[in-house]
């Protein structure tokens, strides 16, 4: 086992315990040792410098710091216990000799980490960095909550890695991108017993995130959990199995079991070709959960869910378990907030734990919304035994350019004021045709729509039209 005594140094265990040569050793013995050392230098491959073409087994951070863009730092097979996050510079590849042979583990807990929990491997302001062919393990006490942390870095690639045991309650992440991060790819990797295998930070500016051909085994919460605010996420051809250890009390936020894939408040997402096994032992909840929660972080949702296979649906402890569950919550909707949802479904299949059909209180597809008001009651828009082939549109796809109109003082016998124009913009993700504009409210009779260019017009996404309103008090 290799133990990093500090980020820049390591002492070999054999060097600490091996036999020593006395200062009184004879000259012939010293000469013989010198010859043996010279022969060893000729025969042994270089193993201590990234620049030599061999692998590195000491001073890992120094080797990375010395590497220039486009270089690869290869770690020799062994277990490295790090005193702090290993930071990878821009354009540098950190690789292992073999994925199973190189294991990175951080010793200190999250509170004493110089990056405050910024990952066993930390990539920040490091465009073009790559992590490949190595394993990352969470510590036994689960204080370090992230395996690989990516912050404000574009075009980063993480492939052929094995990330396990980041199951800290409320915080455990295998790979966590944050900040303004574009075109991150996580592919061909293995994740086991994390809280979330791959997730995104809330409200981070994540664009073009690709998660493909990975295997996720026995996570305590959803293996793929992408929080609000991302654009263009692609979740493709992954395998998820929630088995005996899934949804355990340690690290699980839900006693009734984890979901397979969660997408919150994303625009232009694609979930395609994934295989999701929710059990046994019936610990899974929903195969794919598309969640929109409005309020201070309100976001539109648009995306495609196609050709996914969901098996072993039917957790008897879950209310309304579903293969695909789309939830729209409107309990805090306040104008001028706007919602637009467009979800396309095709080619998805689901099977149940119970032979021959649905388990009790489960649906292949469930589309729900929570109505506005104090009760915040859920209303099932669609509850189906098969996943439909359809496009679902819902929401408030129009917004106006002002929250109020000011007409000033006006005599009641002076007739209507000059009309004031209001610009109406489509926030939908597909063309739409508005209906007629009306004025509502307690004094609606004192206002009039004098012109309406919107009614009957076909508005493309982002297009505008104009409605004119006059004030005529009585």
């Amino acid at each position: 086992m290799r133990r990093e005594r500090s980020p820049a140094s390591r002492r070999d265990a054999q060097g600490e315990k091996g036999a020593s040569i006395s200062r009184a050793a004879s000259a012939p013995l010293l000469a013989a040792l010198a010859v043996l050392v010279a022969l060893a230098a000729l025969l042994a491959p270089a193993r201590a410098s990234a620049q030599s073409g061999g692998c590195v087994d000491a001073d890992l951070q120094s080797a990375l710091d010395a590497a220039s863009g486009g270089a690869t730092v290869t770690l020799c097979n062994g277990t490295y216990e790090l005193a702090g996050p290993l930071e990878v510079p821009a354009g540098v590849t950190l690789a292992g000799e073999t994925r199973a042979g190189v294991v990175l583990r951080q010793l200190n807990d999250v509170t004493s980490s110089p990056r405050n929990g910024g990952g066993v491997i930390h990539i920040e302001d490091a465009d073009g960095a790559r992590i490949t062919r190595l394993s990352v393990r969470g510590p036994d006490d689960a204080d370090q909550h992230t395996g690989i942390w990516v912050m404000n870095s574009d075009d980063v690639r993480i492939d052929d890695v094995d990330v396990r045991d980041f199951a800290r309650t409320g915080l455990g992440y295998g790979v966590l991108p944050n900040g303004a991060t574009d075109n991150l790819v996580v592919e061909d990797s293995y994740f086991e017993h994390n809280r979330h295998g791959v997730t995104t930070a809330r409200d981070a500016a994540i664009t073009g995130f690709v998660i493909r051909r990975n295997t996720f085994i026995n996570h305590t919460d959803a293996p793929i959990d992408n929080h609000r605010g991302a654009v263009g996420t692609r979740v493709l051809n992954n395998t998820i199995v929630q088995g005996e250890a899934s949804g355990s009390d340690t690290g699980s936020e839900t006693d009734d079991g984890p979901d397979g894939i969660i997408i919150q408040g994303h625009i232009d997402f694609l979930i395609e070709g994934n295989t999701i096994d929710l059990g046994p032992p019936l610990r899974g909840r929903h195969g794919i959960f598309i969640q929109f929660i409005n309020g201070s972080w309100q976001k539109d949702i648009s995306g495609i869910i196609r050709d996914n296979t969901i098996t072993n649906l039917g957790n008897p402890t879950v209310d309304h378990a579903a293969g695909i569950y789309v939830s729209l919550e409107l309990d805090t909707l306040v104008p001028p907030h706007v919602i637009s949802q467009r979800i396309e479904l095709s080619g998805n299949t689901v099977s149940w734990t119970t032979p021959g059909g649905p388990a009790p209180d489960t649906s292949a597809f469930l589309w729900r919304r929570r109505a506005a008001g104090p009760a915040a009651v859920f209303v099932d828009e669609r509850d189906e035994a098969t996943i439909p082939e359809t496009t679902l549109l819902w929401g408030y796809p129009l917004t106006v350019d002002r929250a109020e109109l000011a007409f000033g003082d006006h005599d009641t016998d002076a007739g209507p004021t000059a009309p004031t124009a209001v610009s109406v913009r489509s926030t939908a993700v597909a063309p739409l045709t508005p209906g007629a504009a009306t004025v509502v409210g307690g004094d609606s009779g004192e206002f009039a729509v004098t012109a309406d260019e919107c009614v009957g017009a076909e508005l493309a996404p982002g297009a505008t039209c104009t409605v004119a309103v006059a004030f005529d008090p009585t």
Side-chain angles (χ1 to χ4, degrees):
M1 174 180 292
R2 296 178 173 87
R3 179 182 297 271
E4 287 285 325
R5 303 296 182 183
S6 69
S9 66
R10 182 188 63 84
R11 296 179 62 191
D12 187 275
Q14 184 176 355
E16 293 174 350
K17 299 180 180 179
S20 62
I21 302 299
S22 168
R23 292 180 182 272
S26 65
L29 176 59
L30 293 175
L33 288 174
V35 170
L36 290 174
V37 169
L39 287 172
L42 289 173
L43 296 174
R47 296 177 65 85
S49 170
Q51 314 306 321
S52 67
C55 63
V56 176
D57 64 357
D59 298 338
L60 307 187
Q61 190 60 61
S62 296
L64 286 166
D65 292 342
S68 57
T72 296
V73 176
T74 301
L75 305 184
C76 305
N77 283 343
T79 296
Y80 298 85
E81 294 185 332
L82 308 173
L86 199 59
E87 301 182 30
V88 181
V92 172
T93 295
L94 175 64
E97 276 192 297
T98 63
R99 186 173 84 175
V102 173
V103 179
L104 299 178
R105 186 191 305 273
Q106 188 170 313
L107 290 174
N108 58 291
D109 65 21
V110 62
T111 57
S112 61
S113 168
R115 288 287 187 177
N116 192 25
V120 174
I121 298 174
H122 188 98
I123 302 171
E124 183 168 359
D125 299 321
D127 294 354
R130 181 186 177 194
I131 311 297
T132 186
R133 215 168 52 242
L134 52 78
S135 298
V136 185
R137 295 290 182 268
D140 294 335
D141 59 10
D143 281 329
Q144 170 56 274
H145 59 66
T146 303
I148 303 174
W149 182 299
V150 182
M151 171 72 79
N152 297 328
S153 301
D154 297 341
D155 304 311
V156 171
R157 182 181 174 192
I158 299 169
D159 64 283
D160 195 21
V161 299
D162 181 333
V163 183
R164 308 188 196 189
D165 300 330
F166 293 91
R168 184 181 180 186
T169 302
L171 285 174
Y173 313 112
V175 174
L176 175 64
N178 203 343
T181 295
D182 295 344
N183 305 320
L184 169 63
V185 176
V186 178
E187 62 185 357
D188 302 319
S189 295
Y190 181 88
F191 298 85
E192 183 175 348
H193 191 243
N194 306 291
R195 177 170 169 263
H196 300 305
V198 178
T199 191
T200 57
R202 287 184 173 92
D203 295 323
I206 309 294
T207 301
F209 188 13
V210 177
I211 306 164
R212 64 188 172 204
R213 299 189 305 270
N214 303 288
T215 298
F216 299 88
I217 305 294
N218 296 348
H219 282 63
T220 64
D221 213 316
I224 300 175
D225 184 10
N226 287 334
H227 292 94
R228 62 202 182 213
V231 176
T233 298
R234 301 289 182 261
V235 183
L236 310 172
N237 302 310
N238 299 281
T239 299
I240 295 173
V241 178
Q242 297 289 60
E244 294 291 339
S246 304
S248 62
D249 292 337
T250 301
S252 178
E253 292 186 337
T254 54
D255 293 335
D256 51 13
D259 304 306
I261 298 171
I262 297 178
I263 296 287
Q264 293 182 347
H266 281 219
I267 297 174
D268 185 30
F269 67 80
L270 173 62
I271 303 174
E272 181 178 45
N274 301 282
T275 299
I276 304 168
D277 185 345
L278 293 173
L282 307 181
R283 290 296 299 173
R285 182 170 54 170
H286 312 301
I288 298 173
F289 184 16
I290 308 301
Q291 186 179 30
F292 176 93
I293 306 175
N294 64 297
S296 61
W297 50 280
Q298 182 163 327
K299 298 290 183 182
D300 293 346
I301 283 183
S302 61
I304 298 171
I305 306 171
R306 69 185 174 208
D307 299 333
N308 299 283
T309 301
I310 301 163
T311 61
N312 280 317
L313 176 64
N315 186 338
T317 67
V318 178
D319 179 33
H320 291 292
I324 297 177
Y325 179 24
V326 180
S327 174
L328 174 65
E329 301 190 16
L330 294 176
D331 54 312
T332 59
L333 181 64
V334 177
H337 288 173
V338 176
I339 301 172
S340 178
Q341 286 196 331
R342 181 173 184 261
I343 310 294
E344 297 183 19
L345 301 163
S346 64
N348 302 286
T349 61
V350 63
S351 61
W352 281 265
T353 55
T354 52
D361 200 23
T362 64
S363 306
F365 175 75
L366 183 60
W367 171 271
R368 308 183 83 192
R369 64 181 176 87
R370 188 157 67 178
V377 177
F378 275 107
V379 177
D380 291 346
E381 297 287 341
R382 299 179 67 170
D383 189 352
E384 303 183 20
T386 59
I387 299 175
E389 307 284 318
T390 187
T391 298
L392 303 170
L393 290 169
W394 206 95
Y396 300 89
L398 295 172
T399 185
V400 296
D401 64 349
R402 61 191 71 193
E404 62 181 29
L405 301 178
F407 293 93
D409 295 336
H410 191 70
D411 292 338
T412 57
D413 57 357
T417 64
T420 297
V422 177
S423 179
V424 179
R425 179 178 179 270
S426 170
T427 57
V429 293
L432 58 78
T433 302
T438 59
V439 178
V440 297
D443 298 319
S444 59
E446 297 186 349
F447 299 86
V449 175
T450 60
D452 187 350
E453 298 177 356
C454 301
V455 59
E458 183 175 290
L459 291 184
T464 60
C465 57
T466 300
V467 173
V469 180
F471 178 40
D472 188 10
T474 57

